[in-house]
Amino acid sequence: MVRHGVIALAALFSAAASAGDADTLAEQSLQFGGFGTLGWAWSDVAGADFRRDVSQAPSGTGRSHGSFEPDSRVGIQASYRYLSAWSAVGQLVSRYRYDGSWRPELTWGFLSYLSEAGVTARAGRLGFDVYPLADSTNVGYTYLPVRPPTEYYGTLPIQSLDGLDVSYLWPVGTAAIKTKAYIGTARSTIPVDEVRNYSLNGSPLVGAYLEYQGEPWSGRLGYSRIKLKDELPLEELFTVLRDYGIPGGPELADRLSVKGRQFGYLVGSLSYQAGGWQAILAASYFHSNSDAIQGYYSGYAHAGYRVGPVTPYLVLSAARSNDLNPTTGLPPVPALAPVEAAANRLLQVNLSDQRSVALGVRYDPMQNIAVKLQADRVSGTRSSTLWFGDADLPDHFRFWVFSAALDFAF
């Protein structure tokens, strides 16, 4: 994967550079940059593992010494500009993945064209910016808290797509309005259990948003939809339900199926920045056509006030599924108990009923360096981001997460 990512970057910039000649060298530029986070987290959650998002394997935050795995990451970027219209951008990121490795991934790799009419078109591997900042969640320096709120961003399994997008920005007085539409296929893999993973690769998605960019207020409204290409890697369960003559089995298998099903994100946000204040309020609704991944509402609000190099902040976030008590509908027959247990766990494990309150402080000692300390109080009855493994799902949980992070960009 590392070798393939480097080859892809090299090919991208070679293709862009080949368009130039000696007469236009002065109008070409090649730039490199990078970013990273050295993050540590510890939690006292019993029987589970705290994860930053659903794309991560168990992180070990419950160990006595905590873990660097959830939040630590490093990335490099390269951009090549030809004349004023063409550019190529690539980005490699190493972070803790679904398979427990830190293997670098090509998260960006696209060609961009800016027309004289002001329309920007990009093609290749793009960030999936369905939420505000969603395509830059790996760059910790760009946002206030240690990590984007888990209840809001942590349930999003997609960070990149292969496809194209088109955007247009036009001025409105001292502000601007941006429209953007995108289409492509998802790039993501998430863990299902200790041995099985689920790939969203190749699942078609489409979306668009309208964004107001002003001072001190900005806002966004958007919608994205994905159609999952593959079925969950639970062949044994689906076979038993469909082929073993269990009353209600085929109907339950259809309820749990995700292959060919469509899922949608409806998103709205409002942000404020003036003087030392910065604040954001965001809400979303995830629409689902499968009981294996219930629809849910989520939202968060955060606010911070900067005094010199120090910014104390508060973050409130929550997520709640539509139905917190789904049932299998199978007959209460003792012989079906193992099937009932497996199907019920699938119904329960992706539910969300979680809230958190976080207090933190960010210290910027110099340009492109930030140090953050944060304490989260998390409570709820269901969580799709906590990793329970084979443990029984709790009726209720309440725990602390203490975090520290050093963010940098260059």
Side-chain angles (χ1 to χ4, degrees):
M1 177 67 185
V2 178
R3 179 173 177 269
H4 290 167
V6 173
I7 290 174
L9 278 176
L12 182 68
F13 295 114
S14 175
S18 66
D21 54 42
D23 294 332
T24 57
L25 284 178
E27 299 179 78
Q28 302 178 40
S29 65
L30 179 62
Q31 296 181 332
F32 294 92
F35 56 87
T37 296
L38 179 62
W40 171 87
W42 176 85
S43 70
D44 65 348
V45 59
D49 224 350
F50 174 79
R51 298 185 296 167
R52 176 187 176 112
D53 60 59
V54 295
S55 71
Q56 293 183 323
S59 63
T61 55
R63 296 191 294 256
S64 60
H65 56 274
S67 175
F68 288 93
E69 292 166 343
D71 299 309
S72 297
R73 56 207 58 218
V74 64
I76 57 172
Q77 295 177 346
S79 62
Y80 177 83
R81 179 170 296 279
Y82 175 70
L83 302 177
S84 60
W86 292 94
S87 62
V89 177
Q91 176 176 284
L92 286 172
V93 175
S94 175
R95 63 186 184 95
Y96 189 59
R97 292 160 29 102
Y98 66 93
D99 57 1
S101 76
W102 295 80
R103 189 182 313 146
E105 302 170 271
L106 182 69
T107 55
W108 292 356
F110 59 84
L111 293 172
S112 176
Y113 175 73
L114 175 62
S115 73
E116 293 183 358
V119 177
T120 299
R122 306 187 305 172
R125 183 157 300 173
L126 309 166
F128 183 47
D129 59 344
V130 57
Y131 292 158
L133 301 177
D135 65 345
S136 59
T137 55
N138 288 313
V139 189
Y141 183 78
T142 62
Y143 46 82
L144 191 56
V146 167
R147 69 188 66 85
T150 301
E151 289 79 8
Y152 194 79
Y153 290 89
T155 55
L156 181 67
I158 307 166
Q159 291 196 354
S160 301
L161 65 95
D162 291 339
L164 60 91
D165 64 28
V166 179
S167 61
Y168 181 70
L169 185 72
W170 71 89
V172 179
T174 58
I177 292 179
K178 179 180 180 180
T179 58
K180 183 176 181 179
Y182 46 87
I183 186 171
T185 57
R187 292 289 305 180
S188 180
T189 301
I190 60 175
V192 175
D193 53 33
E194 283 78 2
V195 296
R196 290 174 291 193
N197 302 309
Y198 178 66
S199 173
L200 288 82
N201 293 347
S203 297
L205 59 83
V206 63
Y209 65 77
L210 180 68
E211 185 174 68
Y212 172 79
Q213 301 175 352
E215 293 183 356
W217 295 98
S218 296
R220 176 194 280 201
L221 182 65
Y223 181 77
S224 298
R225 186 182 67 198
I226 182 171
K227 182 178 181 180
L228 294 184
K229 175 176 173 285
D230 297 315
E231 188 59 272
L232 292 170
L234 302 170
E235 295 86 357
E236 303 91 340
L237 176 60
F238 285 108
T239 298
V240 169
L241 290 174
R242 288 190 173 114
D243 301 336
Y244 280 53
I246 299 174
E251 292 80 6
L252 178 57
D254 185 64
R255 286 170 52 198
L256 297 174
S257 175
V258 300
K259 182 177 181 179
R261 302 296 175 88
Q262 295 192 12
F263 304 83
Y265 295 90
L266 178 62
V267 180
S269 66
L270 184 65
S271 61
Y272 175 87
Q273 186 164 350
W277 285 102
Q278 54 176 300
I280 186 169
L281 176 67
S284 71
Y285 175 65
F286 174 73
H287 170 71
S288 168
N289 283 318
S290 169
D291 283 359
I293 310 173
Q294 281 269 355
Y296 64 88
Y297 296 89
S298 65
Y300 79 96
H302 83 224
Y305 184 77
R306 180 163 181 165
V307 181
V310 178
T311 309
Y313 60 84
L314 169 69
V315 185
L316 307 174
S317 56
R320 183 179 175 86
S321 296
N322 294 338
D323 182 3
L324 293 176
N325 298 289
T327 59
T328 65
L330 297 179
V333 179
L336 295 179
V339 179
E340 167 77 22
N344 188 62
R345 188 174 184 85
L346 181 55
L347 284 171
Q348 298 287 331
V349 74
N350 289 315
L351 295 180
S352 292
D353 179 29
Q354 182 173 309
R355 298 158 296 282
S356 69
V357 179
L359 285 172
V361 61
R362 170 175 171 149
Y363 172 58
D364 290 74
M366 62 184 68
Q367 187 175 5
N368 296 332
I369 295 288
V371 179
K372 304 172 186 176
L373 299 174
Q374 182 172 311
D376 296 69
R377 185 60 168 170
V378 186
S379 63
T381 63
R382 298 289 186 272
S383 177
S384 58
T385 53
L386 289 177
W387 183 271
F388 293 98
D390 293 328
D392 293 335
L393 303 180
D395 294 328
H396 187 79
F397 54 82
R398 183 179 291 112
F399 61 93
W400 289 96
V401 181
F402 296 101
S403 309
L406 171 65
D407 295 323
F408 58 89
F410 59 90

